[in-house]
Amino acid sequence: MITYTWTISALDCKINENGLQNVVRTVHWRLRGEDEGGTSAEVIGANQVGEPNPDSFTDYENLTKETVVSWLEEVLDVNAYKETISDTIDRKNNPTDITLPLPTQSE
């Protein structure tokens, strides 16, 4: 089983937009997966979020990680990212290729 964890690394904001302050426009994120053996992989991205709704706007200082992640889950294909992470972990645990050193040559 793989456990997935979101990290929000930065939020790019408009200082003023349509009478609202510190409006998040771009979210910089990571989605990390780790299996029970400790093998991990991650996907990193930055995505714009939709126009703010003045009726449901949350002030910047009141934002939570869960709120920001919910915005990402509305615009990202999270299942595709999880599949990519899962495939990468599987390849790490069950490699099909190897890089070997050059064989020594006799002179």
Side-chain angles (χ1 to χ4, degrees):
M1 184 166 121
I2 297 175
T3 301
Y4 295 94
T5 306
W6 287 98
T7 299
I8 306 303
S9 53
L11 300 172
D12 297 338
C13 301
K14 289 292 234 177
I15 296 171
N16 290 299
E17 184 175 345
N18 298 325
L20 303 172
Q21 294 183 337
N22 299 326
V23 177
V24 176
R25 301 308 285 145
T26 303
V27 177
H28 300 264
W29 56 269
R30 295 174 189 263
L31 180 59
R32 182 176 191 269
E34 184 174 332
D35 70 8
E36 57 277 345
T39 304
S40 65
E42 66 183 6
V43 177
I44 301 170
N47 287 81
Q48 293 184 351
V49 294
E51 294 289 325
N53 179 343
D55 296 330
S56 62
F57 182 76
T58 302
D59 291 329
Y60 186 85
E61 55 274 355
N62 294 325
L63 287 175
T64 64
K65 178 180 176 180
E66 291 75 22
T67 299
V68 177
V69 168
S70 74
W71 296 342
L72 291 172
E73 291 175 339
E74 288 177 13
V75 298
L76 298 176
D77 186 349
V78 177
N79 288 331
Y81 287 129
K82 287 182 176 181
E83 185 174 327
T84 297
I85 292 168
S86 176
D87 290 347
T88 301
I89 290 172
D90 185 56
R91 283 194 307 277
K92 286 181 176 181
N93 288 332
N94 304 292
T96 58
D97 298 305
I98 188 170
T99 301
L100 298 173
L102 292 173
T104 56
Q105 297 180 6
S106 303
E107 292 187 36

